[in-house]
Amino acid sequence: MKKLFADILSIKDVKGVMIVSFNGDLIFEEFSSPLSEKPANRDWKSFVDSLNGVREANLNFEKGMLYVRKTEIGYLVIPMGFLASSPMVRLTCDVLLPSINKYKKGKKGKIPASAWRM
């Protein structure tokens, strides 16, 4: 799955990529530089609940932005700085969405391990 997100991570001022399940579990994370706090330590369930099924969102904060996109396996969350091109991130996600959506959850609600080796 790392190769799948290489285009997004190569966009200027994109900090990383995460996929958060609809249950609030962190499914995948990849960042361009180390973080001071691990994303797994966050309460993603509250975040997902607050999205209330939204298909796409651009969230602007004091120190950066989040682009959020709904997929069939959860929410794609892309943290960015203010210099990142939101239209380029959106376009890249449009292209990647069919590839992301092919990863269906297994019987136990988890993404198969084979998905991570892509």
Side-chain angles (χ1 to χ4, degrees), residues 18-118:
M18 297 179 288
I19 298 179
V20 181
S21 75
F22 297 117
N23 296 327
D25 299 323
L26 190 61
I27 296 173
F28 177 81
E29 64 179 272
E30 181 70 28
F31 292 90
S32 53
S33 60
L35 301 175
S36 59
E37 183 181 347
K38 291 283 186 187
N41 297 340
R42 296 282 182 177
D43 178 17
W44 293 107
K45 177 72 173 144
S46 296
F47 176 74
V48 170
D49 289 346
S50 69
L51 291 172
N52 198 23
V54 72
R55 187 181 145 272
E56 182 178 35
N58 275 317
L59 306 171
N60 294 311
F61 299 97
E62 193 173 308
K63 295 185 179 183
M65 303 182 293
L66 285 179
Y67 176 73
V68 181
R69 183 73 176 260
K70 188 175 183 180
T71 70
E72 289 184 13
I73 61 173
Y75 284 100
L76 177 63
V77 180
I78 302 172
M80 322 181 269
F82 290 114
L83 299 177
S85 169
S86 293
M88 181 59 87
V89 171
R90 187 178 302 116
L91 177 64
T92 306
C93 288
D94 287 343
V95 171
L96 291 177
L97 205 57
S99 298
I100 295 169
N101 286 339
K102 78 176 183 179
Y103 294 105
K104 302 282 186 190
K105 289 184 181 177
K107 292 179 184 176
K108 295 182 180 179
K110 302 268 184 180
I111 305 297
S114 60
W116 310 119
R117 291 188 287 271
M118 202 184 152

